[in-house]
Coordinates of all heavy atoms in Angstrom, one line a residue:
L99 N 103.3 123.2 161.1 CA 104.5 123.1 160.4 C 104.8 121.6 160.0 O 105.1 121.3 158.8 CB 105.6 123.7 161.1 CG 106.9 123.9 160.3 CD1 106.7 124.8 159.1 CD2 108.0 124.6 161.3
P100 N 104.8 120.7 160.9 CA 105.1 119.3 160.5 C 104.1 118.7 159.5 O 104.4 117.9 158.7 CB 105.1 118.5 161.9 CG 104.3 119.4 162.8 CD 104.6 120.8 162.4
V101 N 102.8 119.1 159.7 CA 101.8 118.6 158.7 C 102.1 119.1 157.3 O 102.1 118.3 156.4 CB 100.4 119.1 159.2 CG1 99.3 118.6 158.1 CG2 100.0 118.5 160.5
M102 N 102.4 120.4 157.2 CA 102.7 120.9 155.9 C 103.9 120.3 155.3 O 104.0 120.0 154.1 CB 102.8 122.4 156.0 CG 101.5 123.1 156.4 SD 101.8 124.9 156.7 CE 102.5 125.4 155.2
L103 N 105.0 120.1 156.1 CA 106.2 119.6 155.6 C 106.0 118.1 155.2 O 106.6 117.7 154.2 CB 107.3 119.7 156.6 CG 107.8 121.2 156.8 CD1 108.7 121.3 158.0 CD2 108.5 121.8 155.6
K104 N 105.3 117.4 156.0 CA 105.0 116.0 155.6 C 104.3 115.9 154.3 O 104.6 115.1 153.4 CB 104.2 115.3 156.7 CG 104.0 113.8 156.4 CD 103.4 113.0 157.5 CE 103.2 111.6 157.2 NZ 102.6 110.8 158.4
Q105 N 103.3 116.8 154.1 CA 102.6 116.8 152.8 C 103.5 117.1 151.7 O 103.2 116.7 150.5 CB 101.4 117.8 152.9 CG 100.3 117.4 153.8 CD 99.3 118.5 154.1 OE1 99.5 119.6 153.7 NE2 98.1 118.1 154.6
A106 N 104.5 117.8 151.9 CA 105.5 118.2 150.9 C 106.6 117.2 150.7 O 107.5 117.4 149.9 CB 106.1 119.6 151.2
G107 N 106.5 116.1 151.4 CA 107.5 115.0 151.2 C 108.5 114.8 152.2 O 109.5 114.0 152.1
Y108 N 108.5 115.6 153.3 CA 109.4 115.5 154.4 C 109.2 114.4 155.3 O 108.0 114.1 155.6 CB 109.5 116.8 155.2 CG 110.3 117.9 154.6 CD1 109.9 118.6 153.5 CD2 111.5 118.3 155.2 CE1 110.7 119.6 153.0 CE2 112.3 119.3 154.7 CZ 111.9 120.0 153.6 OH 112.7 121.0 153.1
A109 N 110.2 113.7 155.8 CA 110.1 112.8 156.9 C 110.1 113.7 158.2 O 110.9 114.6 158.3 CB 111.2 111.8 157.0
T110 N 109.2 113.4 159.1 CA 109.1 114.3 160.3 C 109.3 113.6 161.6 O 109.0 112.4 161.7 CB 107.6 114.9 160.3 OG1 106.7 113.8 160.3 CG2 107.4 115.8 159.1
A111 N 110.0 114.2 162.5 CA 110.3 113.6 163.8 C 110.1 114.7 164.9 O 110.6 115.8 164.8 CB 111.7 113.1 163.8
L112 N 109.5 114.3 166.0 CA 109.5 115.0 167.2 C 110.4 114.2 168.2 O 110.1 113.0 168.5 CB 108.2 115.3 167.8 CG 108.2 115.9 169.2 CD1 107.4 117.2 169.2 CD2 107.8 115.0 170.3
I113 N 111.4 114.8 168.7 CA 112.3 114.2 169.7 C 112.5 115.1 170.8 O 113.4 116.0 170.8 CB 113.6 113.7 169.0 CG1 113.4 112.9 167.8 CG2 114.5 112.9 170.0 CD1 114.6 112.6 166.9
G114 N 111.7 115.1 171.8 CA 111.8 116.0 173.0 C 110.4 116.2 173.6 O 109.5 115.4 173.5
K115 N 110.3 117.3 174.3 CA 109.1 117.6 175.0 C 108.0 118.1 174.1 O 108.2 119.0 173.3 CB 109.4 118.7 176.1 CG 108.2 119.3 176.8 CD 108.7 120.3 177.8 CE 107.6 121.2 178.4 NZ 108.0 122.1 179.4
F116 N 106.8 117.5 174.2 CA 105.7 117.9 173.4 C 104.8 119.0 174.0 O 104.8 120.1 173.6 CB 104.8 116.6 173.1 CG 103.6 116.9 172.2 CD1 103.7 117.5 171.0 CD2 102.3 116.4 172.7 CE1 102.6 117.8 170.2 CE2 101.2 116.7 171.9 CZ 101.3 117.3 170.7
H117 N 104.1 118.6 175.1 CA 103.4 119.6 175.9 C 102.3 120.4 175.1 O 102.1 121.6 175.4 CB 104.3 120.5 176.6 CG 103.7 121.0 178.0 ND1 104.3 121.9 178.8 CD2 102.6 120.6 178.6 CE1 103.6 122.0 179.9 NE2 102.6 121.3 179.8
L118 N 101.7 119.7 174.1 CA 100.6 120.3 173.3 C 99.4 119.3 173.2 O 98.7 119.3 172.2 CB 101.1 120.7 171.9 CG 102.0 121.9 171.8 CD1 102.6 122.1 170.4 CD2 101.2 123.2 172.2
G119 N 99.2 118.6 174.3 CA 98.2 117.6 174.3 C 98.6 116.3 174.8 O 99.6 116.1 175.5
V120 N 97.8 115.2 174.5 CA 98.1 113.9 174.9 C 99.4 113.4 174.3 O 99.5 113.4 173.1 CB 96.9 112.9 174.6 CG1 97.3 111.5 175.0 CG2 95.7 113.4 175.3
P121 N 100.4 113.0 175.1 CA 101.7 112.6 174.5 C 101.9 111.1 174.1 O 102.9 110.8 173.6 CB 102.7 112.9 175.6 CG 101.9 112.6 176.9 CD 100.5 113.0 176.6
F122 N 100.9 110.3 174.4 CA 101.1 108.9 174.4 C 101.0 108.3 172.9 O 101.5 107.2 172.7 CB 100.0 108.1 175.2 CG 100.0 108.7 176.6 CD1 98.8 109.2 177.1 CD2 101.1 108.6 177.4 CE1 98.8 109.7 178.4 CE2 101.1 109.1 178.7 CZ 99.9 109.7 179.2
V123 N 100.5 109.1 172.0 CA 100.5 108.6 170.6 C 101.1 109.7 169.7 O 101.0 110.9 170.1 CB 99.0 108.3 170.1 CG1 98.5 107.1 170.9 CG2 98.1 109.5 170.3
P124 N 101.6 109.4 168.6 CA 102.2 110.4 167.7 C 101.1 111.4 167.3 O 99.9 111.1 167.0 CB 102.7 109.6 166.5 CG 103.0 108.3 167.0 CD 101.9 108.0 168.0
Q125 N 101.4 112.7 167.3 CA 100.5 113.8 167.0 C 101.1 114.6 165.8 O 102.2 114.5 165.4 CB 100.4 114.7 168.2 CG 99.9 114.0 169.4 CD 98.4 113.9 169.5 OE1 97.7 114.0 168.6 NE2 97.9 113.6 170.7
L126 N 100.2 115.4 165.2 CA 100.6 116.5 164.2 C 101.4 115.9 163.1 O 102.3 116.6 162.6 CB 101.3 117.6 165.0 CG 100.6 118.3 166.1 CD1 101.5 119.3 166.7 CD2 99.3 118.9 165.6
A127 N 101.1 114.7 162.6 CA 101.8 114.2 161.4 C 103.3 113.9 161.6 O 104.1 113.8 160.7 CB 101.6 115.1 160.2
F128 N 103.7 113.8 162.9 CA 105.1 113.4 163.1 C 105.2 111.9 162.9 O 104.5 111.1 163.5 CB 105.5 113.7 164.6 CG 105.9 115.2 164.8 CD1 105.1 116.0 165.5 CD2 107.0 115.7 164.2 CE1 105.4 117.3 165.7 CE2 107.4 117.0 164.4 CZ 106.6 117.8 165.1
D129 N 106.1 111.5 162.0 CA 106.3 110.1 161.7 C 107.0 109.4 162.8 O 106.7 108.2 163.2 CB 107.2 109.9 160.4 CG 106.5 110.5 159.2 OD1 105.3 110.2 159.0 OD2 107.2 111.3 158.5
H130 N 108.0 110.0 163.4 CA 108.9 109.5 164.4 C 108.6 110.3 165.7 O 108.6 111.5 165.7 CB 110.4 109.6 164.0 CG 111.3 109.0 164.9 ND1 111.3 107.6 165.2 CD2 112.4 109.4 165.6 CE1 112.2 107.3 166.0 NE2 112.9 108.4 166.3
W131 N 108.3 109.5 166.8 CA 107.7 110.2 168.0 C 108.5 109.7 169.2 O 108.4 108.6 169.7 CB 106.3 109.8 168.1 CG 105.5 110.4 169.2 CD1 105.1 109.8 170.4 CD2 104.9 111.7 169.2 NE1 104.4 110.7 171.1 CE2 104.3 111.9 170.4 CE3 105.0 112.8 168.3 CZ2 103.6 113.1 170.8 CZ3 104.3 114.0 168.7 CH2 103.7 114.1 169.9
V132 N 109.3 110.6 169.8 CA 110.1 110.3 171.0 C 109.8 111.5 171.9 O 110.2 112.6 171.7 CB 111.6 110.1 170.7 CG1 112.3 109.9 172.0 CG2 111.8 109.0 169.7
T133 N 109.2 111.2 173.1 CA 108.9 112.3 174.0 C 108.9 111.7 175.4 O 109.4 110.6 175.7 CB 107.6 112.9 173.6 OG1 107.3 114.1 174.5 CG2 106.4 112.0 173.7
F134 N 108.3 112.4 176.4 CA 108.1 111.8 177.7 C 106.7 112.2 178.1 O 105.9 112.9 177.4 CB 109.2 112.2 178.7 CG 109.3 113.6 179.1 CD1 110.0 113.9 180.3 CD2 108.9 114.7 178.3 CE1 110.2 115.2 180.7 CE2 109.1 116.0 178.7 CZ 109.7 116.3 179.9
T135 N 106.3 111.6 179.2 CA 104.8 111.5 179.5 C 104.2 112.8 180.1 O 103.0 112.8 180.4 CB 104.6 110.3 180.5 OG1 105.4 110.5 181.7 CG2 105.0 109.0 179.8
H136 N 105.0 113.8 180.4 CA 104.4 115.0 181.0 C 105.1 116.2 180.5 O 106.1 116.1 179.7 CB 104.6 114.9 182.5 CG 106.0 114.5 183.0 ND1 107.0 115.4 183.1 CD2 106.5 113.3 183.3 CE1 108.1 114.8 183.5 NE2 107.8 113.5 183.6
G137 N 104.6 117.4 180.8 CA 105.2 118.6 180.4 C 106.1 119.3 181.4 O 107.0 120.0 181.0
H138 N 105.7 119.1 182.7 CA 106.5 119.8 183.7 C 107.6 118.9 184.2 O 107.4 117.7 184.5 CB 105.6 120.1 184.9 CG 106.2 121.0 185.9 ND1 106.1 122.4 185.7 CD2 106.8 120.8 187.0 CE1 106.7 123.0 186.8 NE2 107.2 122.0 187.6
T139 N 108.8 119.4 184.3 CA 110.0 118.6 184.8 C 110.2 118.8 186.2 O 110.6 120.0 186.6 CB 111.2 118.9 183.9 OG1 111.0 118.6 182.6 CG2 112.4 118.2 184.4
T140 N 110.0 117.8 187.0 CA 110.4 117.9 188.5 C 111.8 117.4 188.7 O 112.4 117.8 189.7 CB 109.4 117.2 189.3 OG1 109.3 115.8 188.9 CG2 108.0 117.8 189.2
S141 N 112.2 116.5 187.8 CA 113.6 116.0 187.9 C 114.1 115.7 186.5 O 113.2 115.2 185.7 CB 113.7 114.8 188.8 OG 115.1 114.2 188.7
F142 N 115.3 115.9 186.2 CA 115.8 115.5 184.9 C 116.1 114.0 184.8 O 116.4 113.5 183.7 CB 117.1 116.3 184.6 CG 116.9 117.8 184.4 CD1 117.4 118.7 185.3 CD2 116.3 118.2 183.2 CE1 117.2 120.0 185.1 CE2 116.1 119.6 183.0 CZ 116.6 120.5 183.9
Y143 N 116.0 113.3 185.9 CA 116.4 111.9 185.9 C 115.2 111.0 186.2 O 114.2 111.4 186.8 CB 117.5 111.7 187.0 CG 118.7 112.5 186.7 CD1 118.9 113.8 187.3 CD2 119.7 112.0 185.9 CE1 120.0 114.6 187.0 CE2 120.9 112.8 185.6 CZ 121.0 114.0 186.2 OH 122.1 114.8 185.9
N144 N 115.3 109.7 185.8 CA 114.4 108.7 186.1 C 113.0 109.1 185.6 O 112.0 108.9 186.3 CB 114.3 108.4 187.6 CG 115.6 107.9 188.1 OD1 116.2 106.9 187.5 ND2 116.2 108.5 189.1
N145 N 112.9 109.5 184.4 CA 111.6 109.9 183.7 C 111.1 108.7 182.9 O 111.9 108.0 182.2 CB 111.7 111.1 182.9 CG 111.8 112.4 183.7 OD1 110.8 112.8 184.4 ND2 113.0 113.0 183.8
E146 N 109.8 108.6 182.8 CA 109.2 107.6 181.9 C 109.2 108.3 180.5 O 108.8 109.4 180.4 CB 107.8 107.3 182.3 CG 107.1 106.2 181.4 CD 105.7 105.9 181.8 OE1 105.1 106.6 182.6 OE2 105.2 104.8 181.3
V147 N 109.7 107.6 179.5 CA 109.8 108.1 178.2 C 108.9 107.3 177.2 O 108.5 106.2 177.5 CB 111.3 108.1 177.7 CG1 112.1 109.0 178.6 CG2 111.8 106.7 177.6
I148 N 108.6 107.9 176.1 CA 107.8 107.3 175.0 C 108.7 107.3 173.8 O 109.1 108.3 173.3 CB 106.6 108.1 174.8 CG1 105.7 108.2 176.0 CG2 105.8 107.5 173.6 CD1 104.6 109.2 176.0
D149 N 109.0 106.1 173.3 CA 109.9 105.9 172.2 C 109.1 105.2 171.1 O 109.0 104.0 171.1 CB 111.1 105.0 172.7 CG 112.2 104.9 171.6 OD1 112.0 105.3 170.5 OD2 113.3 104.3 172.0
D150 N 108.5 106.0 170.2 CA 107.5 105.6 169.3 C 106.4 105.0 170.2 O 105.8 105.7 171.0 CB 108.0 104.7 168.2 CG 108.7 105.5 167.1 OD1 108.2 106.7 166.9 OD2 109.7 105.1 166.5
Y151 N 106.1 103.7 170.1 CA 105.0 103.1 170.8 C 105.5 102.4 172.1 O 104.7 101.7 172.7 CB 104.2 102.2 169.9 CG 103.4 103.0 168.9 CD1 103.8 103.2 167.6 CD2 102.2 103.6 169.3 CE1 103.1 103.9 166.7 CE2 101.4 104.3 168.3 CZ 101.9 104.5 167.1 OH 101.2 105.2 166.2
Q152 N 106.7 102.5 172.4 CA 107.2 101.8 173.6 C 107.3 102.9 174.8 O 107.6 104.0 174.5 CB 108.6 101.3 173.4 CG 108.7 100.2 172.3 CD 110.2 99.7 172.2 OE1 110.7 99.2 173.1 NE2 110.8 99.9 171.0
R153 N 107.0 102.4 176.0 CA 107.1 103.3 177.1 C 108.0 102.6 178.1 O 107.8 101.4 178.4 CB 105.7 103.6 177.8 CG 104.9 104.5 176.9 CD 103.4 104.6 177.4 NE 103.3 105.2 178.7 CZ 102.2 105.5 179.3 NH1 101.0 105.2 178.7 NH2 102.1 106.0 180.5
Y154 N 109.0 103.3 178.6 CA 109.9 102.7 179.6 C 110.6 103.8 180.4 O 110.5 105.0 180.1 CB 111.0 101.8 178.9 CG 111.8 102.5 177.8 CD1 112.9 103.2 178.1 CD2 111.3 102.4 176.5 CE1 113.7 103.8 177.1 CE2 112.1 103.0 175.5 CZ 113.3 103.6 175.8 OH 114.0 104.2 174.8
Q155 N 111.2 103.4 181.5 CA 111.9 104.3 182.4 C 113.3 104.5 181.9 O 114.0 103.5 181.6 CB 111.9 103.7 183.8 CG 112.0 104.8 184.9 CD 110.6 105.5 185.2 OE1 109.6 105.0 184.7 NE2 110.6 106.6 185.9
F156 N 113.7 105.8 181.8 CA 115.1 106.1 181.5 C 115.8 106.7 182.7 O 115.3 107.7 183.2 CB 115.1 107.1 180.3 CG 116.5 107.4 179.9 CD1 117.3 106.5 179.1 CD2 117.1 108.7 180.2 CE1 118.6 106.9 178.8 CE2 118.4 109.0 179.8 CZ 119.1 108.1 179.1
A157 N 116.8 106.1 183.2 CA 117.4 106.5 184.4 C 118.3 107.7 184.3 O 118.4 108.5 185.3 CB 118.3 105.3 185.0
G158 N 118.8 108.0 183.1 CA 119.8 109.1 183.0 C 119.1 110.4 182.8 O 117.8 110.6 183.0
H159 N 119.8 111.4 182.4 CA 119.3 112.8 182.2 C 118.5 112.8 180.9 O 118.9 112.3 179.8 CB 120.5 113.8 182.1 CG 120.2 115.2 182.2 ND1 119.3 115.9 181.4 CD2 120.5 116.1 183.2 CE1 119.2 117.1 181.8 NE2 119.9 117.3 182.9
T160 N 117.3 113.4 180.9 CA 116.4 113.3 179.8 C 117.0 114.1 178.6 O 116.7 113.7 177.4 CB 115.0 113.9 180.2 OG1 114.7 113.6 181.5 CG2 114.0 113.5 179.2
V161 N 117.7 115.2 178.8 CA 118.3 115.9 177.7 C 119.3 114.9 177.0 O 119.4 114.9 175.7 CB 119.0 117.1 178.2 CG1 120.0 117.7 177.1 CG2 118.0 118.2 178.6

Side-chain angles (χ1 to χ4, degrees):
L99 192 58
V101 175
M102 294 172 58
L103 291 171
K104 182 174 181 178
Q105 290 172 346
Y108 275 72
T110 56
L112 175 125
I113 308 169
K115 172 177 168 176
F116 178 52
H117 212 184
L118 285 172
V120 176
F122 307 120
V123 295
Q125 304 275 16
L126 302 178
F128 281 111
D129 300 310
H130 187 56
W131 184 257
V132 179
T133 186
F134 64 160
T135 56
H136 47 84
H138 192 87
T139 298
T140 56
S141 173
F142 292 111
Y143 300 92
N144 298 308
N145 284 290
E146 185 180 14
V147 297
I148 301 167
D149 190 351
D150 280 326
Y151 288 96
Q152 299 180 62
R153 290 171 64 173
Y154 53 89
Q155 206 78 14
F156 181 75
H159 198 296
T160 321
V161 166

